[in-house]
Amino acid sequence: NGASEIAKAIAKNTIMRVLDISLNEVGPRGAKEIAKALKVNTSLLSLKFSNCAISDKGLREVANSLKFNTSLQSMRLNNNGFGPKSGKVIGLLLQENSTLTSLDIGGNTIKDLGVVPIMAALKNNSTLKTISLSGCGLGPKSGKPIGQLLQENSSLTSLDIGGNTIKDLGVVPIMAALKNNTTLKKIGLSLCGIRQKGGKNIAIAIEENLSLSSLDLSLNDINPELLHLIKEALQDDISNSEPLP
């Protein structure tokens, strides 16, 4: 009943710009009601829809509604119980929607299998600027599709893949792509199981990259000396990217 009332408000309201319905037991059925309302809403810019247990089934309804919605720019869908098969749903959403600029799907166990269609879709998406895949159960195999994304996408400015066991093996293709990426400004790699080998790859990439201004490497096993070198290289990037007086 609560979700139904929220849906009615979304459908009728033409002033509301931001809506936070996080931490409510919306479930798949409630998500379907809200999705119907999103199809006709023309004013909402930001929707926080986290921890609502909408599951894969509810996501399909929400994703379908965004084929018709042309106003929503930011959506948080973290911790909703999505599995690997939702990766394809999110990929199709990113292929068809041209208004979303920020998407948070962290805390959903989409795993390596689910990340592939998302990264493939983002290669040709020119509107999304920020995406969070933190804590999504990604492993070293996800490094390759993420790297391919960074090679081909020219609009993404922020990528958070922290809290995933990317490890040194997964970091290699990501850093190889980052060397020549000119648009990404922020990347989150905290708690990714990165050690010395991965840290060295990061240091080399940062030296060559000219756009990155923020890098989170917290809670990894990289020695202080190497972290210092990475920090210095990042500071050089920031200095070199500043306009001349």
Side-chain angles (χ1 to χ4, degrees):
N1 290 336
S4 180
E5 292 303 313
I6 292 170
K8 289 178 183 177
I10 293 172
K12 294 179 180 179
N13 193 292
T14 59
I15 300 173
M16 182 168 55
R17 299 289 182 262
V18 179
L19 176 63
D20 187 351
I21 53 175
S22 301
L23 298 171
N24 285 291
E25 294 182 12
V26 175
R29 185 176 296 180
K32 185 175 182 179
E33 293 296 318
I34 290 169
K36 288 179 183 177
L38 287 174
K39 286 183 180 181
V40 298
N41 179 277
T42 58
S43 63
L44 199 63
L45 301 178
S46 175
L47 176 60
K48 297 178 182 179
F49 207 162
S50 304
N51 299 87
C52 287
I54 68 173
S55 76
D56 295 318
K57 187 176 181 180
L59 174 64
R60 285 196 298 271
E61 298 291 343
V62 173
N64 182 60
S65 74
L66 294 187
K67 294 178 185 177
F68 306 93
N69 183 290
T70 58
S71 63
L72 200 65
Q73 297 175 9
S74 176
M75 178 171 276
R76 294 190 64 177
L77 290 165
N78 45 311
N79 300 309
N80 266 306
F82 307 153
K85 61 184 179 182
S86 280
K88 187 175 181 180
V89 176
I90 295 166
L92 288 172
L93 162 64
L94 294 172
Q95 284 179 344
E96 296 172 349
N97 179 278
S98 59
T99 57
L100 275 179
T101 60
S102 178
L103 178 63
D104 184 350
I105 50 174
N108 293 293
T109 52
I110 60 169
K111 300 187 177 181
D112 295 330
L113 182 63
V115 83
V116 173
I118 297 173
M119 296 300 105
L122 282 176
K123 289 179 185 178
N124 299 311
N125 181 296
S126 59
T127 52
L128 199 75
K129 304 297 182 186
T130 301
I131 187 166
S132 174
L133 293 154
S134 62
C136 282
L138 310 183
K141 289 182 180 179
S142 288
K144 185 176 180 180
I146 293 170
Q148 290 172 341
L149 162 70
L150 294 178
Q151 284 180 334
E152 300 186 32
N153 179 281
S154 58
S155 59
L156 202 66
T157 60
S158 177
L159 171 66
D160 186 1
I161 49 174
N164 292 293
T165 52
I166 302 293
K167 297 188 176 181
D168 292 346
L169 184 63
V171 159
V172 173
I174 296 172
M175 291 302 116
L178 193 61
K179 291 178 184 178
N180 300 311
N181 182 287
T182 59
T183 53
L184 199 71
K185 297 183 180 301
K186 182 178 181 180
I187 185 166
L189 289 164
S190 64
L191 196 62
C192 281
I194 303 169
R195 306 187 75 175
Q196 286 301 103
K197 183 178 179 181
K200 289 176 181 177
N201 276 276
I202 292 169
I204 293 168
I206 298 303
E207 284 181 357
E208 297 188 28
N209 177 281
L210 298 176
S211 63
L212 204 68
S213 59
S214 177
L215 171 64
D216 186 355
L217 285 172
S218 59
L219 303 175
N220 286 294
D221 192 15
I222 303 172
N223 72 40
E225 292 80 7
L226 185 52
L227 281 173
H228 181 70
L229 289 174
I230 294 169
K231 183 178 179 180
E232 284 190 334
L234 187 63
Q235 288 300 320
D236 287 342
D237 279 358
I238 295 170
S239 298
N240 291 333
S241 66
E242 290 176 351
L244 294 172

